[in-house]
Amino acid sequence: ILQHSPNKVYLGNNNYHSLRYSLSSMNRLNAGLQIEKDGGEDEFDYVSAYLQYHSNRGLLRNVIIGDYKVGFAQGLVVNTSLSFGKLASMGNVGGVNRGFTRHSSMSESGHFRGIAMTMRPLKNLYTSIFFSYQKIDGTLRTDTVGAISSLKTDGLHRTRLERSKDGNLSETVFGGNIQWTPDRWQLAATLIHTHLSIPLMPKYNTPSTLYRRYNPQGSDFTNASLYYGYISNTLSVSGETAMSADGGVATLNSIRYGIGSTTTLSLTQRYYSKDYTSLYARSFGESSNVQNESGICLSLTTEPLRHLSLWFYADFFHFPYRKYQVSDSSNGLDLLGQLKYTPSDHTTWQLRYRLKTKQKDVKINTTTTELYYYTTQQFRLQNQQVLSPVLTLKSTASFNVAFNPAGDNAYGYGLSEIISWKENKKPMRPRMDFSFSYFNTDTYDARIYTYEPSLLYSMGMTGNAYHGIRAALLLSADIFRNLTISCKVAATKYFNRDTIGSALEQIDQSHREDIQLQVRYSIK
């Protein structure tokens, strides 16, 4: 059975393990080591390390040997830093990335391995160069010898099929950046070249896969860009324009104007042609790729009253070529408004509304499809109360609506509470966080996103769908002077489901429990 269906079982046990070591000396020398085994893998298959020297003086400003991340200008050529989506990146549009950072996470892709260096030969001049070589995962094509259909980036090697994609090809990347920042001006140029040992040849020979037609293809990819910016007390203008070797163009430009000390207006324009290709570009946009997208975003931040702040943006976007589940050019709108009221240092109220609508295919009959708008609306009211220096309560109520052109609209609501108790008195410095959520949604489209406290270096956002409850308890304390032990226990119970998950991840019961243990020892 395993020879014919290698995905029937995981090769290893279902436990996840990771080890992280970091060293910092005089804020100049940093070193780190990361080792990880994912659940289902039978061995520790990920090892990452780095050594960094950083200084604010002299010619040599930053050197990293090992694994590192790269981000220049606005990311149209290269940006491998962690991204939290459009909402979080709104405040950074128009900013300029400075270059290299050490890779200290457990992500097995999206970073470089080699050497990177930044120098400052003159007062307003920075130059950066980098080189990387590493083995990466890819899916070999069975119908074409010596080609891959896609790059594998999840880092999972749990089954024989997943393991067959491990390190199938090598990747060589090199490039550089030069920045000149005289007075209020900013100018920068970036160049990157990527070579794959096996050419990338995505499949797009069926109607459902035609959206891949302009995906990156070939063995070599070269991108270059020019960044420009001007900053004054009330006005800032910035932008980046990039080209790929195949003639594709990408440009992102923004202008901000400050009215007094409480109000800021901004306008951001982007145009990413359908044939612009870069393996490591990541920037502002609706899609995760810098390709096949144009749009205009208007935003406003203001404080009309002493304790009241308002944040609003409206993003109009257009996809000139087809996308997944979209057989023609399409449009969309992303609208968000957030009101924050802080009557005192102990109380905060936050009200948020978000509307997103975009066109997707809808089947009219067995042979005909048409584009219709799929719309979701999200409402959230949140209150935070600081009851004492050690005790904080955070209450959240959410309501979502997903409108379906076929008429099957989905609704969902959720209630959550977080109780945080943190004592800073030594030697124990104990901490306890308890979170509880109730959710009830018609479908997954109306899911409720909820934040819950989590372990260090872990993400705490969960998406809850259908009908159930979730509770989590996080305990942490300094057992000895430099030894911290943290434990998180979480449980999810569904009232309308007999199984959780699917395929190899399926649990044949209506509840699921998770236990995480972290031990941290600090040498000072």
Side-chain angles (χ1 to χ4, degrees):
I1 294 177
L2 292 178
Q3 290 178 354
H4 292 284
S5 304
N7 273 336
K8 288 292 184 181
V9 69
Y10 288 155
L11 299 175
N13 59 56
N14 58 359
N15 294 323
Y16 169 90
H17 303 288
S18 67
L19 173 66
R20 184 193 306 266
Y21 170 79
S22 63
L23 167 70
S24 178
S25 175
M26 304 293 291
N27 293 324
R28 289 191 176 186
L29 183 64
N30 297 281
L33 173 68
Q34 294 81 231
I35 304 176
E36 183 192 50
K37 170 198 169 300
D38 290 302
E41 296 177 343
D42 62 347
E43 61 183 2
F44 288 84
D45 69 337
Y46 174 65
V47 179
S48 173
Y50 65 85
L51 177 64
Q52 180 188 36
Y53 170 79
H54 183 272
S55 175
N56 293 324
R57 298 179 179 180
L59 173 64
L60 194 59
R61 295 305 179 97
N62 190 14
V63 179
I64 303 178
I65 300 175
D67 291 354
Y68 58 91
K69 293 181 178 294
V70 180
F72 288 118
Q74 295 179 339
L76 299 188
V77 167
V78 56
N79 179 22
T80 60
S81 301
L82 184 63
S83 175
F84 293 97
K86 184 194 301 183
L87 184 61
S89 63
M90 275 294 301
N92 194 42
V93 173
V96 55
N97 293 317
R98 284 289 180 176
F100 310 117
T101 57
R102 56 187 181 270
H103 176 68
S104 58
S105 76
M106 294 299 175
S107 175
E108 299 185 30
S109 62
H111 64 273
F112 297 117
R113 177 166 293 175
I115 184 170
M117 181 184 305
T118 297
M119 295 173 289
R120 188 183 183 183
L122 299 174
K123 178 180 179 181
N124 298 317
L125 185 67
Y126 293 86
T127 60
S128 302
I129 57 175
F130 64 96
F131 175 83
S132 170
Y133 175 84
Q134 60 182 329
K135 291 285 188 177
I136 60 175
D137 297 355
T139 303
L140 295 173
R141 290 190 59 163
T142 57
D143 56 346
T144 304
V145 179
I148 57 174
S149 59
S150 63
L151 300 176
K152 188 175 184 294
T153 59
D154 57 13
L156 298 175
H157 309 106
R158 303 164 298 183
T159 65
R160 292 184 181 180
L161 180 60
E162 290 179 347
R163 181 170 290 183
S164 68
K165 305 175 183 181
D166 184 15
N168 277 338
L169 68 156
S170 61
E171 176 195 64
T172 304
V173 185
F174 60 87
N177 171 270
I178 182 169
Q179 294 184 30
W180 186 45
T181 58
D183 297 327
R184 298 180 180 273
W185 296 90
Q186 292 180 329
L187 295 173
T190 306
L191 175 69
I192 183 175
H193 178 79
T194 304
H195 172 74
L196 304 178
S197 61
I198 301 178
L200 184 59
M201 297 177 60
K203 298 179 181 180
Y204 53 91
N205 53 356
T206 62
S208 61
T209 59
L210 275 177
Y211 70 94
R212 302 174 184 162
R213 179 178 178 181
Y214 294 99
N215 283 11
Q217 302 179 41
S219 299
D220 294 275
F221 306 89
T222 303
N223 301 83
S225 75
L226 178 66
Y227 173 85
Y228 34 87
Y230 173 79
I231 301 176
S232 69
N233 294 332
T234 59
L235 179 68
S236 65
V237 181
S238 62
E240 183 183 14
T241 299
M243 291 189 63
S244 54
D246 52 7
V249 177
T251 182
L252 174 66
N253 302 277
S254 65
I255 180 172
R256 293 188 179 190
Y257 181 70
I259 304 174
S261 60
T262 60
T263 302
T264 302
L265 294 169
S266 67
L267 172 67
T268 302
Q269 170 271 336
R270 64 188 182 275
Y271 170 75
Y272 311 144
S273 65
K274 62 184 179 182
D275 54 350
Y276 179 78
T277 54
S278 176
L279 296 183
Y280 289 102
R282 183 184 298 168
S283 190
F284 179 79
E286 176 64 21
S287 300
S288 58
N289 298 327
V290 180
Q291 186 183 40
N292 186 36
E293 182 177 339
S294 61
I296 293 288
C297 183
L298 305 171
S299 68
L300 165 71
T301 59
T302 183
E303 296 180 7
L305 299 174
R306 181 181 178 184
H307 301 290
L308 190 67
S309 62
L310 172 65
W311 186 40
F312 168 84
Y313 78 75
D315 185 29
F316 305 86
F317 50 88
H318 171 70
F319 305 119
Y321 186 69
R322 63 175 65 205
K323 296 178 67 65
Y324 177 66
Q325 294 184 342
V326 184
S327 57
D328 203 348
S329 61
S330 58
N331 303 302
L333 168 66
D334 187 4
L335 184 102
L336 183 140
Q338 178 174 291
L339 194 64
K340 187 176 181 180
Y341 177 56
T342 54
S344 69
D345 295 337
H346 305 289
T347 303
T348 301
W349 289 90
Q350 187 182 93
L351 177 64
R352 175 183 292 182
Y353 168 76
R354 188 172 191 178
L355 179 146
K356 179 177 284 191
T357 180
K358 62 173 66 176
Q359 291 177 304
K360 292 184 180 180
D361 285 345
V362 175
K363 274 193 174 184
I364 304 302
N365 50 53
T366 56
T367 60
T368 305
T369 60
E370 292 186 9
L371 290 180
Y372 285 90
Y373 281 97
Y374 280 75
T375 304
T376 59
Q377 295 189 65
Q378 300 174 353
F379 304 84
R380 190 181 73 182
L381 176 64
Q382 187 176 89
N383 172 256
Q384 179 173 300
Q385 295 286 340
V386 181
L387 300 182
S388 71
V390 298
L391 185 62
T392 302
L393 304 181
K394 182 181 291 186
S395 308
T396 305
S398 303
F399 178 73
N400 294 347
V401 184
F403 296 98
N404 191 323
D408 299 328
N409 298 333
Y411 301 88
Y413 66 92
L415 301 172
S416 66
E417 183 71 35
I418 299 177
I419 303 174
S420 298
W421 178 78
K422 185 176 182 180
E423 179 61 70
N424 291 320
K425 292 182 179 180
K426 296 180 180 181
M428 295 288 288
R429 292 192 301 178
R431 169 189 171 187
M432 183 190 73
D433 295 283
F434 176 74
S435 61
F436 180 84
S437 301
Y438 171 81
F439 52 91
N440 192 349
T441 72
D442 294 335
T443 66
Y444 183 76
D445 293 335
R447 60 192 176 275
I448 304 294
Y449 284 100
T450 305
Y451 169 79
E452 65 182 31
S454 190
L455 298 178
L456 190 64
Y457 310 117
S458 300
M459 300 295 291
M461 190 66 67
T462 62
N464 298 316
Y466 308 106
H467 187 202
I469 56 174
R470 176 175 173 84
L473 177 64
L474 173 63
L475 299 174
S476 179
D478 295 343
I479 304 303
F480 300 110
R481 180 179 178 183
N482 298 324
L483 179 65
T484 302
I485 296 182
S486 303
C487 180
K488 180 179 178 180
V489 180
T492 305
K493 168 66 177 179
Y494 291 93
F495 302 132
N496 60 346
R497 304 180 68 187
D498 296 325
T499 61
I500 302 174
S502 60
L504 293 178
E505 299 292 333
Q506 180 169 312
I507 300 174
D508 295 324
Q509 55 191 17
S510 61
H511 56 91
R512 167 180 172 167
E513 292 73 41
D514 301 275
I515 299 176
Q516 295 174 296
L517 178 66
Q518 184 179 84
V519 180
R520 184 171 183 260
Y521 184 69
S522 177
I523 304 174
K524 299 180 181 179

